[in-house]
Amino acid sequence: MEPAVDLEGFFRGDEEAIKEAAKMIKAACSNHGCFQVINHGVDLNLINLAHHHINNFFKLPTCQKIRARRAPGSLWGYSGGHTHRYLSKLPWKETLSFGYPLNCSYPVVLDFFKSNVGNDFHQAGVVYQRYCEEMKDLSLSIMELLAISMGIDRLHYRKFFEDGCCIMRCNFYPPCEEPGLALGTGRHCDPTSLTILHQDHVQGLQVFANNMWQTVRPRHDALVINIGDTFMALSNGIYKSCVHRAVVNKYEERKSLAFFLCPKEDKVVRPHKDLLNRSQGQTRKYPDFTWSDFLHFTQNYYRADDSTLSHFTNWLLSSNSSPSSSSSAADH
């Protein structure tokens, strides 16, 4: 993978450093949709605490973990696998997922931990509340850099996402006796817009780039940024949704922390007019849709893989009830 993008100059307002960061981001996103960032402004001690607390949760006996289990139809809670909706092979992992609305002053994450995991995890709730706040700030900064890299109004994506509702997911991959027969997570693209991932010290994340699987080696000081399907649609396909997977190993467990940025559910996903006016983006590649439509599709009809967006597009175009494209929530 390419060298990590250093964000220090961006936060300092150094125009030359911003130009260099944008150039690196453009190269990565036009090719495979993944890059790492360093000097990202997130306290490394906070990241350590987030790993510590989630490790405590996953080490609980199963009978305690399932008190927080995901209810049918819900996105939030504990899951030991994702096959309750599908007949596909069980992923070799456990997850704990919860929501984080970007413009909510109420400590919704802390409340999730207290209500679903228990009072013993009050401190974990405090840590993850703060972790999500840091991820929000970073994701909006990266949206600014993405806009700069595409040559459009630098605040366009920041404004588009600032009232979104995000998903935080903690992943735990136990050791696997037969690692060649199981995948932690199979080949897929994230249907969301942007993923910010922190890996522990154990290798496992692989990105499909330049026609081969490449391991993204863990760096404690770095965060991995993936473009998702919704942002690929926002860019009219100019930036690629990252095809990736997680492999397991025989000897070590692995943990990762994934923050998924999503727009507000009723916002219309439509490329910026300046992208459509350029030769590379003359033709619309995807119809207008809302995040609510796309989420509904992935939860009820189709399990995310590396062709979710094209299947969703076909489903949307063949559906009788196409979504309204005149939503007042869309700001273009």
Side-chain angles (χ1 to χ4, degrees):
M1 298 297 291
E2 296 85 353
V5 178
D6 191 335
L7 298 185
E8 187 181 4
F10 170 79
F11 290 123
R12 220 176 43 231
D14 178 335
E15 288 305 321
E16 278 308 305
I18 290 170
K19 230 180 272 182
E20 182 57 30
K23 185 176 155 193
M24 291 173 74
I25 287 170
K26 184 173 187 172
C29 293
S30 304
N31 181 9
H32 51 70
C34 178
F35 56 96
Q36 295 199 73
V37 293
I38 54 171
N39 293 319
H40 43 66
V42 182
D43 183 353
L44 294 181
N45 290 325
L46 177 63
I47 293 173
N48 291 341
L49 282 170
H51 277 283
H52 167 76
H53 284 291
I54 209 60
N55 194 45
N56 287 346
F57 172 78
F58 285 123
K59 291 237 179 304
L60 290 172
T62 303
C63 62
Q64 285 181 255
K65 284 187 284 196
I66 60 172
R67 288 189 312 191
R69 71 172 167 264
R70 187 182 303 184
S74 171
L75 290 170
W76 318 135
Y78 168 77
S79 176
H82 301 280
T83 53
H84 55 285
R85 297 193 308 256
Y86 308 98
L87 297 174
S88 54
K89 194 161 70 173
L90 179 75
W92 198 267
K93 70 172 179 178
E94 300 172 37
T95 61
L96 183 69
S97 308
F98 45 93
Y100 178 71
L102 292 194
N103 61 350
C104 178
S105 56
Y106 180 76
V108 65
V109 175
L110 174 58
D111 188 59
F112 169 84
F113 273 85
K114 284 163 62 178
S115 305
N116 294 274
V117 190
N119 286 331
D120 290 350
F121 282 81
H122 174 90
Q123 195 53 39
V126 170
V127 166
Y128 273 94
Q129 180 71 39
R130 191 170 147 227
Y131 187 85
C132 287
E133 287 161 6
E134 295 276 323
M135 289 294 114
K136 172 190 84 168
D137 291 344
L138 178 59
S139 63
L140 294 178
S141 293
I142 288 168
M143 280 298 157
E144 210 171 310
L145 269 167
L146 286 168
I148 293 166
S149 75
M150 300 183 96
I152 63 172
D153 168 22
R154 71 184 283 165
L155 297 180
H156 176 74
Y157 294 132
R158 177 184 274 273
K159 288 175 183 169
F160 186 82
F161 285 98
E162 65 190 2
D163 57 356
C165 185
C166 298
I167 301 165
M168 181 74 213
R169 181 166 298 147
C170 307
N171 299 304
F172 176 72
Y173 302 90
C176 179
E177 279 298 310
E178 298 285 349
L181 300 180
L183 276 169
T185 309
R187 175 186 179 125
H188 70 289
C189 297
D190 296 331
T192 47
S193 298
L194 190 80
T195 307
I196 304 180
L197 182 87
H198 190 269
Q199 311 185 75
D200 68 5
H201 64 286
V202 181
Q203 283 184 190
L205 175 65
Q206 295 184 341
V207 167
F208 196 72
N210 305 320
N211 293 313
M212 60 188 287
W213 286 109
Q214 300 191 33
T215 297
V216 181
R217 299 191 189 285
R219 277 187 64 168
H220 183 63
D221 64 336
L223 291 160
V224 183
I225 312 296
N226 285 355
I227 297 295
D229 286 340
T230 302
F231 193 85
M232 181 159 76
L234 271 177
S235 77
N236 203 38
I238 297 168
Y239 280 4
K240 305 294 182 278
S241 190
C242 175
V243 179
H244 58 290
R245 68 183 186 184
V247 297
V248 290
N249 70 66
K250 195 169 182 175
Y251 305 105
E252 288 191 281
E253 62 191 36
R254 175 176 174 263
K255 295 184 303 300
S256 65
L257 311 175
F259 181 86
F260 302 96
L261 179 68
C262 316
K264 194 177 175 189
E265 289 197 346
D266 61 355
K267 278 217 170 156
V268 177
V269 175
R270 181 189 298 140
H272 189 284
K273 61 183 187 308
D274 289 356
L275 298 178
L276 298 174
N277 291 340
R278 299 173 193 166
S279 55
Q280 75 211 73
Q282 281 288 7
T283 310
R284 281 291 301 272
K285 293 199 172 162
Y286 312 101
D288 287 358
F289 64 89
T290 64
W291 169 236
S292 179
D293 295 317
F294 200 13
L295 187 61
H296 174 73
F297 177 73
T298 59
Q299 293 302 301
N300 296 286
Y301 298 106
Y302 193 86
R303 184 165 186 187
D305 60 16
D306 58 348
S307 56
T308 312
L309 189 56
S310 59
H311 281 94
F312 170 67
T313 299
N314 294 338
W315 175 80
L316 201 58
L317 292 173
S318 64
S319 167
N320 294 327
S321 52
S322 68
S324 164
S325 60
S326 59
S327 168
S328 59
D331 56 343
H332 301 285

